[in-house]
């Protein structure tokens, strides 16, 4: 199946679009912009080696990027992608999409989507990047485990409506392309104000998971590179790797 965005291969059911994209790259079957989409994943992958529930009715896709782009430009890539997608989805569906650092997509204080980036590099250049996006679109909350139902939601659950997954996919792909183009040109607009408007946790107390510890403080926004600024009891911390594990005041 093709569209103006390049080639999109759609599967009814596979283990994981992210894993298949890796296999395509290893077998030399990939090209820049190739999109692999599945209607259902049986072994969806999340960040930090977690699993990702991917029943029928969601948007599960991975895009392969393989261009000689200097790696330094990719700092903050996932933050910019998440932010831009939340804006595009809000415009398309008229629902209040938000973000949680670094790149979770939120709807009404619950996680509705996530982004997973696998990157391989050669010296200072990007070799391949697999941009995986999962969005809980048209399925009921009951398709998720009891545990996930406490922190996750679906667009259908929040709006009571079903939407065209293809339309959402194409809008996201257009948004992705625009961000990738910015990175290719090294022209990166300042997103610090936009972040404050769209972050679920700006000015709230959060717990941030770093590699070996968890720190608590108030979210004060992001830097130009997409790093998180946290005001702790002992001073300001700038965090480039990790994730907001909890926002005090709501589950998520
Ligand atoms: C997260 O943990 O927040 C990121 C989740 C990313 C899930 C998507 S679904 C499409 C792609 N294939 C996968 O196996 N994972 C990503």
């Amino acid at each position: 199946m093709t569209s103006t965005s390049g080639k999109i291969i759609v599967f009814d059911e596979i283990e994981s679009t992210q894993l298949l994209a890796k296999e395509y790259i290893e077998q030399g079957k990939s090209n820049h912009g190739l999109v692999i989409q599945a209607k259902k994943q049986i072994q969806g992958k999340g960040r930090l080696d977690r699993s990702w529930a991917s029943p029928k009715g969601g948007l599960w896709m991975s895009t392969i990027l393989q261009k000689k782009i200097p790696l330094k430009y990719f700092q903050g890539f996932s933050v910019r992608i998440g932010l831009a997608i939340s804006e595009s989805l809000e415009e398309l569906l008229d629902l209040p999409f938000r973000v949680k650092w670094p790149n979770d997509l939120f709807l009404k204080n619950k996680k509705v989507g996530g982004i997973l980036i696998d990157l391989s590099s050669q010296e200072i250049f990007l070799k391949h990047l697999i941009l995986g996006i999962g969005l809980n679109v048209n399925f009921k909350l009951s398709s998720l485990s009891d545990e996930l139902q406490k922190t996750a939601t679906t667009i259908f659950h929040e709006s009571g409506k079903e939407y065209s997954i293809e339309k959402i996919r194409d809008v996201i792909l257009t948004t992705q392309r625009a961000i990738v183009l910015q990175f290719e040109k090294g022209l990166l607009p300042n997103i610090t104000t936009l972040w404050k408007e769209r972050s679920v946790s700006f000015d709230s107390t959060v717990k941030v998971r770093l590699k070996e510890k968890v720190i608590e403080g108030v979210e004060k926004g992001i830097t130009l590179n997409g790093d998180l600024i946290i005001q702790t009891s002992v001073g300001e911390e700038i965090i480039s790797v990790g994730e907001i594990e909890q926002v005090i005041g709501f589950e998520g």
Side-chain angles (χ1 to χ4, degrees), residues 14-20 36-38 41 43-54 59-63 103-105 111 113-118 130-135 243:
I14 54 174
E15 280 193 8
S16 151
T17 59
Q18 204 76 0
L19 289 183
L20 193 61
I36 297 173
Q37 184 191 349
Q41 298 185 119
Q43 229 177 72
K45 306 281 171 212
R47 296 181 72 234
L48 306 174
D49 278 335
R50 289 183 286 236
S51 62
W52 182 261
S54 319
L59 172 62
W60 323 120
M61 69 171 172
S62 299
T63 306
N103 53 25
D104 286 345
L105 296 167
K111 183 159 167 169
I115 295 172
L116 178 65
I117 291 183
D118 289 303
I130 305 172
L131 171 57
I133 295 190
L135 189 65
E243 67 175 20

